[in-house]
């Protein structure tokens, strides 16, 4: 394993915060949970979602869509959302399923 392989690919502080929230709730997190965490901990929702999307891309977390989803979170969509940096409500619309760690 090279030194670069050992570097986190996302914000580990945000990862810890969302993982802790998942443990507290005991169920998959929804966008509303991330919005609340952003407000409670004075984080930008963009930063939280970028971390979550990166964890999805690297298969550390998983997304379970629900019947109300109108947008898929394919690899291409995740890359687009991560590179945009400033997300708005329209960018996140149609994502109503749950996010959870794989382990």
């Amino acid at each position: 394993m090279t030194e670069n392989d050992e570097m986190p690919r996302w914000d580990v502080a945000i990862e810890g915060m969302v993982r802790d929230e998942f443990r507290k709730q005991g169920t998959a997190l929804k966008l509303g949970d991330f919005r609340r965490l952003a407000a409670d901990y004075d984080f930008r929702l963009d930063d939280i979602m970028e971390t979550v999307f990166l964890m999805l891309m690297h298969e550390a977390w998983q997304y379970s869509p629900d019947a109300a989803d109108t947008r898929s979170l394919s690899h291409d969509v995740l890359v687009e959302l991560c590179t945009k940096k400033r997300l708005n409500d329209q960018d996140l619309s149609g994502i109503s399923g749950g996010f959870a760690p794989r382990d």
Side-chain angles (χ1 to χ4, degrees), residues 5-51:
D5 290 338
E6 296 173 13
M7 294 295 296
R9 293 182 169 98
W10 50 77
D11 187 309
V12 294
I14 292 174
E15 175 190 17
M17 177 180 64
V18 297
R19 193 173 284 275
D20 187 51
E21 185 65 20
F22 172 79
R23 276 193 293 267
K24 287 179 188 173
Q25 287 193 21
T27 187
L29 301 178
K30 304 267 187 161
L31 279 176
D33 297 312
F34 298 125
R35 290 180 196 281
R36 182 180 39 73
L37 287 171
D40 289 352
Y41 292 97
D42 200 26
F43 274 90
R44 283 187 27 231
L45 179 62
D46 301 330
D47 293 336
I48 293 173
M49 295 315 300
E50 178 184 20
T51 294

Side-chain angles (χ1 to χ4, degrees), residues 33-103:
D33 297 312
F34 298 125
R35 290 180 196 281
R36 182 180 39 73
L37 287 171
D40 289 352
Y41 292 97
D42 200 26
F43 274 90
R44 283 187 27 231
L45 179 62
D46 301 330
D47 293 336
I48 293 173
M49 295 315 300
E50 178 184 20
T51 294
V52 171
F53 293 151
L54 286 168
M55 292 188 302
L56 288 176
M57 288 172 53
H58 292 283
E59 299 180 352
W61 277 55
Q62 61 191 352
Y63 178 72
S64 300
D66 71 11
D69 274 10
T70 58
R71 184 171 199 180
S72 75
L73 290 181
S74 67
H75 182 78
D76 290 341
V77 170
L78 291 170
V79 169
E80 176 188 330
L81 291 170
C82 284
T83 56
K84 186 167 182 177
K85 295 293 183 196
R86 298 287 184 193
L87 301 173
N88 58 41
D89 288 337
Q90 185 177 2
D91 296 323
L92 298 174
S93 69
I95 301 171
S96 57
F99 298 82
R102 285 199 182 266
D103 48 51

